[in-house]
Structure formats: structure tokens, C-alpha cells
Amino acid sequence: MSPAAREIAIRRWSLEVGEPLSGGHRSDVHAVRRPGGFAAVLKVCASTRDAADEAAALRAWAPSEVAVRLLDADLRAGALLLERLEPGTPLPPGGSGPAPDVLAALHATRLSEHAFRELAGGFPDHQREVLADLAHERRARGEPDRACEAERLLPSAGRLMEGLAATAERRVLLHGDFLTKNLLASGDGYRVIDPLPRLGDPAADVGMFAHDQPAASILDTAAELADALGLDVDRAVSWAVVWTVMVTVQAWREDQSDLEALVGSPTFRRLL
């Protein structure tokens, strides 16, 4: 993300910049007002490729009205101008809530001509990210052995991930970061924000949502959500296993001890 890119976007759209918005570390996100006082959100993405992918996904999902609206984009600056969702509160953890309907709409979208990245072959990128997060957590907490058991399972999770991605019977446009914090209340429903769009197995988004739940309910949530969507339950549970190993290795969640107990359980190791 670049302060220069933010200034380019501010000038281009004549924005009045308000407070920074929380929710992620990859992008620079601010509440803004457009000429006339209309509320919006300015997002300067971590890369121009990320901005192009997100813009293409939001345009593809626009007819479904389950994603935040893209108002404008400056892809050379990696900047997106988005609608401001109100009240904009994230979905509380526990239960699937609107997730089945939202995912069904996202996955039913006709694929555009945009060259989205594939989920298959993506494990090396995920591995680099989670190991960087683990190194940070170990340094910050002074715990050099933090998540060491989960770290040993990372290669197994990678093999499972690539096997699932390679054998998917359907390829859909995935949200790619389908977490409760990225489902925001808007009017009388919920809409998604902050996609990391990929093409791949629809069960991957199911497992992504499930792994964001309290540790004790992760596997059951994956099974229940897959059943509601008519997807293969075993595949969804396996994807939840993949993402849970990764977030346990990242070692930042408040329920870290519960996650480590889960990934070390006989049931979990059997699924790996």
C-alpha cells in the first residue's frame, strides 16, 4: 500500500478523508465523504493485482446484491472506491446465519473474462504467509515454541489442500476470505466485503467460514453449511481442516489453546 496512491485517489475523487477502518492489515482503508457529503470507503490495496481482482469480482457479483458495491476504481493506483455499508457491523461468530444464502449467490455468478488466480497451486503462498505470521507472534510473545505441533502438520495440510483443489468437480468464483468479519450488516441483510477472489472448489469457502468459528464447532459448522448448500460434506470438512491448521500455525487467535487441542486430536489427524 502506498501513501502516494492514496493521495492520487483522494484527488481523483475529491474525497474528504475520515477515520481509518479496521479489519485487515493488507490494505489501507478509510472512511471518506464524496462531493455532496455522500459516505463511502476508500481502499488502497496491497498491490495493483489485488485491486484488479477485487474490482472484477465485485463487478461480477453486483447483480446478486450480496457484495459491497464498487463505486469506482483506479487500478493504476490500486485504489477502490466502495459504498459505505450501514450499520456495517460484522456477523457474530456461532452458527451459519446468512452464510448459505450469501455463498449460494456468490458461487452462482457467471465467470467473467477476468484472469482470476486459481486456488489450485496456491499452497506455497499460504505457507509463506502463515509462517511469517508465526514468526511475528513468536517474537512478539517471547514464545519460540508457540504452535510448534501445528507447524509440523503444515505440509500435510498443504498436500490435502492441493489434492482437494485438483479434484474439484466445479470451479466457481470464490470469495477467498469468507470470514465473519467480512460479512457486514447492511439494511435488513448481510453483504460481503474484502474478497481475495480465486477460482476453485466451492467447498473451500465453506471450510473458510467454518474455521473462523469457535474451535469446538468448526467441523460441525462445515458439515451443516455444506449440507445446506448441497455440497459434498466430506470435502467441506476437509477444507475446514486445511484452513484450521493454517490459522493455528498463524498463532494469533484468542482461542489458540483450543485450536491446538483440536488439530492434535485423533479425529483431526485422521482427517489429515
Side-chain angles (χ1 to χ4, degrees):
M1 67 192 76
S2 164
R6 182 174 62 194
E7 291 305 315
I8 290 170
I10 290 169
R11 290 196 302 271
R12 170 174 175 162
W13 293 311
S14 302
L15 302 175
E16 178 185 337
V17 180
E19 76 276 14
L21 300 177
S22 62
H25 62 276
R26 290 172 52 86
S27 303
D28 183 5
V29 185
H30 282 261
V32 296
R33 289 200 174 274
R34 303 161 66 196
F38 297 104
V41 172
L42 173 64
K43 178 175 182 178
V44 181
C45 297
S47 71
T48 55
R49 175 68 188 273
D50 286 347
D53 286 349
E54 181 167 346
L58 294 179
R59 290 186 180 112
W61 290 326
S64 71
E65 298 185 342
V66 294
V68 66
R69 283 191 303 128
L70 176 69
L71 304 177
D72 206 346
D74 185 336
L75 298 184
R76 293 184 65 181
L80 307 178
L81 188 63
L82 306 165
E83 72 171 315
R84 181 74 184 267
L85 300 180
E86 297 292 349
T89 50
L91 180 71
S96 59
D101 291 339
V102 173
L103 275 185
L106 295 179
H107 293 171
T109 299
R110 183 176 179 179
L111 297 183
S112 70
E113 295 181 357
H114 181 79
F116 290 106
R117 285 169 276 193
E118 297 279 347
L119 184 61
F123 176 69
D125 289 338
H126 285 285
Q127 180 172 241
R128 282 190 291 272
E129 181 177 344
V130 301
L131 290 177
D133 287 346
L134 176 60
H136 169 78
E137 293 295 332
R138 285 173 171 172
R139 287 193 304 270
R141 298 171 185 270
E143 299 177 15
D145 294 327
R146 187 174 176 84
C148 61
E149 292 298 325
E151 185 182 11
R152 293 190 185 101
L153 296 176
L154 194 54
S156 296
R159 288 190 291 273
L160 179 57
M161 175 184 174
E162 295 298 357
L164 289 166
T167 57
E169 294 184 357
R170 289 175 60 208
R171 287 167 68 257
V172 301
L173 180 55
L174 300 168
H175 182 279
D177 200 24
F178 194 67
L179 309 175
T180 54
K181 73 182 180 70
N182 290 334
L183 270 167
L184 301 188
S186 177
D188 59 358
Y190 281 85
R191 295 165 73 184
V192 293
I193 63 167
D194 290 347
L196 295 174
R198 298 290 186 272
L199 298 178
D201 185 356
D205 269 349
V206 173
M208 178 68 68
F209 180 84
H211 100 292
D212 193 38
Q213 304 303 309
S217 63
I218 287 174
L219 300 183
D220 287 343
T221 299
E224 292 165 5
L225 183 50
D227 187 61
L229 288 165
L231 297 175
D232 187 307
V233 169
D234 290 340
R235 291 185 70 86
V237 169
S238 293
W239 275 110
V241 167
V242 168
W243 302 131
T244 301
V245 170
M246 291 190 190
V247 78
T248 307
V249 174
Q250 287 176 298
W252 57 263
R253 272 186 29 175
E254 293 182 2
D255 61 346
Q256 179 68 18
S257 60
D258 294 335
L259 288 172
E260 294 196 23
L262 176 62
V263 301
S265 68
T267 297
F268 213 87
R269 289 178 181 268
R270 175 179 56 80
L271 292 168
L272 269 176

